[in-house]
Amino acid sequence: MHRWSKLFIPTLREAPTDAEVASHKFLLRAGYIRQLGAGIYNYLFLGQRSLNKIIAIVREEMDQIGQEFYLPAIHPREVWEQSGRWTAMGENMFRLKDRKGADLCLGMTHEEIMTSIARSELRSYKQLPQIWYQIQSKFRDEPRPKAGLLRVRQFTMKDSYSFDLDKEGLDKSFDLHDEVYRKIFTRCGLEFVAVEADSGAMGGSQSQEFMVYTEAGEDLIASCPVCGYAANLEKATSRLEVVVEMEPTGDGTPELVDTPGCAAISDVAEFFKISPASDIKCVAYMALKRGAGGKPDQWRGVATFLRGDHQVNETKLMGAVGAADLRTMQAEELSQYFNGPAGFLGPVGLMPNAKPLEDGLTVVVDRSLQGRKNLVAGANKLDYHLRNVVPGRDFSWTLMADIRSVNEGEACPQTAHDGNPCEGKLVVGKAVEVGHIFKLGYKYSESMGARVLDPNGKEVMPIMGSYGIGIERILTAAIEQSNDKNGFWLPPSIAPFTVVVTVTNSSDAALAEPAAALAAQLEAAGLDVLLDDRDERAGVKFKDADLVGIPYRINVGKKSASGIVELVTRASSTSVDVALHEVVALVKERVQEDALKTAFGS
């Protein structure tokens, strides 16, 4: 039996001033974690118990579809060079040397390591499919650690990898993970949504994130309350309303107009008496092109053009042009590529590259400008704009792509069951990512030389998938969605203890003895129980119990002489008097109800 008086549970009345989000504050106050350095945390007794429960759920569900491995956290440079990611990961990767001077790194993820095993061990299609997973520490040199366990430099991750003979097999492995992930997050009591996402540095095609809505989140999710469409803002699209085009002036060709001081979109719209949707905005970047075959990295100019009321989504842009990084053009670079000043940049007269990130200027036009007419654009001349600008007629581009961020209130892009457009309007909210699944395709099997023989004896590349779950993120997301001013509560499935038995006066044997006996009965019934036998005032014990995430509390006080105890449900902050001989059965019943709610929804 666990007795509070014998445990290390260092609760705090107040959170440190640098703790901003709820989960960070309460993880510290409840004694779950203590900070060792920037983005580096010690997990104390209560925190580790919760994480172990989460890991057990993840392992139990993953064992239904895969085999558990445990791989090194320290990797040789060579395996990352084979995939091309030694350079691509940049400063996010922790790098070190051994005593002989050989380059090593701390693993951020294990695609390369798993692929090296497959390359060495898999020979035939008869060995496929394979799903291999592990639960292990990962390392990322996070430039701005913050928000407690949400943005850290060392974290625990369940990562799994699938190897299949063909795309149909990959589809099946992807769907298996989707199903298992939903079970895991449901069992952990999370209210989550699955959204379309960008694959980022992992590469590949289809990508899906599992998100929990919270103001602590750093991701923005666009969703439709009508049809259920949901996507990360880095991937989300919308259906735009038709814009009434301006009438052309003069002969309808681009006309130079003196617009003194009109550098801002709002000033241009007011000057021409137009909607910002009829103004072409320019945002100029320098994009980092990674060198191939030992060649150096290079920064290349990229000019983006989109509606004046839209914003560039830099993740979409990086994916469209194949850039490793972006930064805003400086004044001297604007002069080089545009021969014009900021605020008056436009697409007319530019000479776009044939292919993205070649020498010269890459011009990217957002799809929202397709088919538009009689627009206003900067003239690449101080205090001048052009009107009557028609995309395709008056300027060309390297590529046209979706590079904008959707706005809240725009129309849902989906089609309803009757074939008509969905009538929903998009809602944008903050969320925390707890899981991410990717279809990697042939990126790693091709670059690292993984091959198997197909049924015809032909050597082919296995197709891969990659699937991750942030263990600590499950805990933080659960706290973010279930807290109040006094603390937080966790579902029994991941709480460090299911019930705390609180003795209101531990020095009174008439209370302490039945409380200990009750705790023993609860433990014998299969419940995780904590006996608060500390020599503290009842109010202090109640506050601590409310703080530390335990879903149920049984108060053993004066009424116990009459065979009555008080059962407190933390989530609702409600209490009920229960006969001492009935309380074990009632708590078990409540816990079973909680399990059903998490299994099938409230």
Side-chain angles (χ1 to χ4, degrees):
M1 181 191 304
H2 286 90
R3 294 175 178 268
W4 200 314
S5 62
K6 304 297 183 183
L7 300 177
F8 182 65
I9 306 176
T11 59
L12 302 173
R13 295 277 73 85
E14 299 291 337
T17 56
D18 61 344
E20 298 176 356
V21 302
S23 58
H24 190 194
K25 293 176 181 178
F26 288 128
L27 283 166
L28 288 167
R29 287 189 57 204
Y32 277 52
I33 63 173
R34 287 294 183 265
Q35 185 168 344
L36 178 63
I40 307 172
Y41 287 88
N42 298 311
Y43 303 142
L44 307 186
F45 174 68
L46 291 184
Q48 188 59 26
R49 279 184 70 89
S50 281
L51 293 175
N52 283 341
K53 286 191 172 185
I54 293 168
I55 288 171
I57 291 172
V58 171
R59 178 173 284 121
E60 183 178 329
E61 294 297 341
M62 281 302 304
D63 280 345
Q64 303 302 309
I65 65 170
Q67 306 153 73
E68 185 172 6
F69 287 22
Y70 189 79
L71 306 180
I74 188 166
H75 305 164
R77 171 178 179 162
E78 291 75 18
V79 72
W80 283 81
E81 283 189 325
Q82 290 166 10
S83 71
R85 292 205 297 175
W86 178 261
T87 301
M89 285 302 186
E91 295 182 352
N92 287 327
M93 179 182 282
F94 280 105
R95 304 166 196 265
L96 63 154
K97 291 181 182 291
D98 67 13
R99 66 180 64 197
K100 296 179 180 179
D103 287 320
L104 303 165
C105 69
L106 297 181
M108 302 170 62
T109 181
H110 279 70
E111 279 80 5
E112 283 81 0
I113 313 307
M114 286 290 193
T115 306
S116 71
I117 296 173
R119 176 179 61 189
S120 300
E121 306 294 338
L122 299 180
R123 295 283 180 263
S124 168
Y125 73 95
K126 294 180 181 180
Q127 295 172 279
L128 302 180
Q130 293 286 341
I131 294 177
W132 302 336
Y133 82 93
Q134 66 166 345
I135 301 171
Q136 202 221 55
S137 293
K138 307 289 185 182
F139 303 88
R140 181 188 299 273
D141 195 359
E142 174 60 55
R144 294 175 299 277
K146 66 176 186 178
L149 301 184
L150 289 179
R151 185 184 277 190
V152 292
R153 305 171 84 185
Q154 177 177 336
F155 53 96
T156 309
M157 186 178 185
K158 188 289 299 177
D159 52 320
S160 55
Y161 306 88
S162 62
F163 297 85
D164 287 279
L165 184 63
D166 51 33
K167 292 182 179 179
E168 289 73 18
L170 175 58
D171 289 344
K172 185 176 294 185
S173 293
F174 187 90
D175 290 343
L176 283 172
H177 279 85
D178 175 74
E179 181 180 353
V180 162
Y181 275 36
R182 292 173 188 271
K183 289 180 180 178
I184 289 169
F185 299 133
T186 298
R187 286 183 62 185
C188 290
L190 299 183
E191 297 175 7
F192 66 92
V193 60
V195 306
E196 296 177 21
D198 180 72
S199 297
M202 298 302 178
S205 55
Q206 187 176 350
S207 174
Q208 180 175 280
E209 290 174 333
F210 294 84
M211 311 292 291
V212 174
Y213 284 109
T214 167
E215 282 302 307
E218 293 184 308
D219 287 288
L220 290 173
I221 303 302
S223 60
C224 174
V226 174
C227 71
Y229 167 81
N232 194 301
L233 216 61
E234 298 170 348
K235 194 75 173 179
T237 61
S238 65
R239 191 175 68 257
L240 296 173
E241 303 295 333
V242 176
V243 179
V244 177
E245 303 288 12
M246 295 188 299
E247 291 296 323
T249 60
D251 62 1
T253 59
E255 176 186 348
L256 191 64
V257 180
D258 185 8
T259 56
C262 293
I265 297 295
S266 57
D267 295 333
V268 174
E270 174 63 25
F271 182 92
F272 286 99
K273 305 303 180 186
I274 60 172
S275 162
S278 292
D279 182 26
I280 299 178
K281 175 195 289 187
C282 175
V283 186
Y285 294 95
M286 297 301 292
L288 182 62
K289 180 181 180 180
R290 292 294 186 193
K295 295 181 180 179
D297 296 346
Q298 293 182 313
W299 288 94
R300 300 291 176 84
V302 175
T304 65
F305 296 97
L306 64 166
R307 281 174 30 171
D309 57 338
H310 289 165
Q311 303 296 321
V312 175
N313 186 299
E314 294 185 354
T315 300
K316 288 184 178 180
L317 176 60
M318 289 173 63
V321 301
D325 199 2
L326 292 174
R327 63 172 174 80
T328 304
M329 271 194 192
Q330 304 301 311
E332 61 273 15
E333 293 162 339
L334 290 174
S335 298
Q336 174 188 347
Y337 288 103
F338 290 90
N339 194 28
F344 299 90
L345 303 178
V348 179
L350 298 181
M351 299 296 292
N353 291 338
K355 294 181 180 180
L357 304 190
E358 291 184 336
D359 287 335
L361 184 65
T362 298
V363 176
V364 184
V365 174
D366 185 66
R367 290 197 184 113
S368 63
L369 295 181
Q370 189 171 23
R372 296 294 307 279
K373 297 179 180 179
N374 306 323
L375 304 175
V376 170
N380 296 317
K381 181 179 179 182
L382 181 63
D383 287 337
Y384 281 90
H385 281 77
L386 293 171
R387 61 183 170 194
N388 301 332
V389 175
V390 177
R393 183 194 71 181
D394 301 318
F395 66 90
S396 58
W397 46 83
T398 306
L399 60 90
M400 177 176 282
D402 172 21
I403 58 168
R404 72 180 183 90
S405 291
V406 302
N407 294 316
E408 184 159 358
E410 291 177 351
C412 174
Q414 299 293 84
T415 301
H417 294 301
D418 60 5
N420 292 316
C422 174
E423 296 181 356
K425 301 294 184 182
L426 295 182
V427 176
V428 177
K430 292 181 178 180
V432 165
E433 175 191 333
V434 292
H436 202 163
I437 57 180
F438 309 83
K439 288 183 177 179
L440 292 177
Y442 300 103
K443 174 181 174 68
Y444 297 92
S445 53
E446 179 176 19
S447 63
M448 298 184 66
R451 302 289 188 274
V452 297
L453 296 178
D454 72 6
N456 299 316
K458 180 182 178 182
E459 197 175 64
V460 298
M461 294 180 291
I463 191 168
M464 291 176 59
S466 176
Y467 319 87
I469 287 178
I471 302 299
E472 294 96 336
R473 281 176 167 248
I474 291 178
L475 175 60
T476 54
I479 295 171
E480 287 291 338
Q481 72 179 23
S482 301
N483 68 80
D484 58 24
K485 64 180 182 180
N486 298 317
F488 63 97
W489 54 95
L490 295 172
S493 59
I494 65 171
F497 293 97
T498 306
V499 56
V500 53
V501 176
T502 302
V503 189
T504 59
N505 184 357
S506 296
S507 62
D508 186 344
L511 302 181
E513 291 176 5
L518 175 58
Q521 293 172 32
L522 290 162
E523 192 170 59
L527 299 171
D528 281 334
V529 58
L530 173 62
L531 175 62
D532 191 349
D533 61 341
R534 293 175 296 165
D535 185 17
E536 293 280 4
R537 291 180 289 108
V540 171
K541 295 182 178 183
F542 295 160
K543 282 184 176 295
D544 279 345
D546 282 347
L547 173 64
V548 299
I550 299 175
Y552 295 102
R553 180 174 88 242
I554 299 174
N555 297 329
V556 180
K558 294 180 180 179
K559 292 182 181 179
S560 63
S562 304
I564 299 295
V565 293
E566 182 183 27
L567 175 60
V568 179
T569 301
R570 178 65 181 88
S572 59
S573 297
T574 58
S575 63
V576 60
D577 286 346
V578 184
L580 184 59
H581 68 277
E582 295 178 349
V583 72
V584 174
L586 181 57
V587 172
K588 285 193 67 176
E589 181 182 323
R590 295 276 182 91
V591 171
Q592 289 170 353
E593 289 174 355
D594 289 335
L596 289 173
K597 287 178 182 178
T598 57
F600 301 107
S602 300

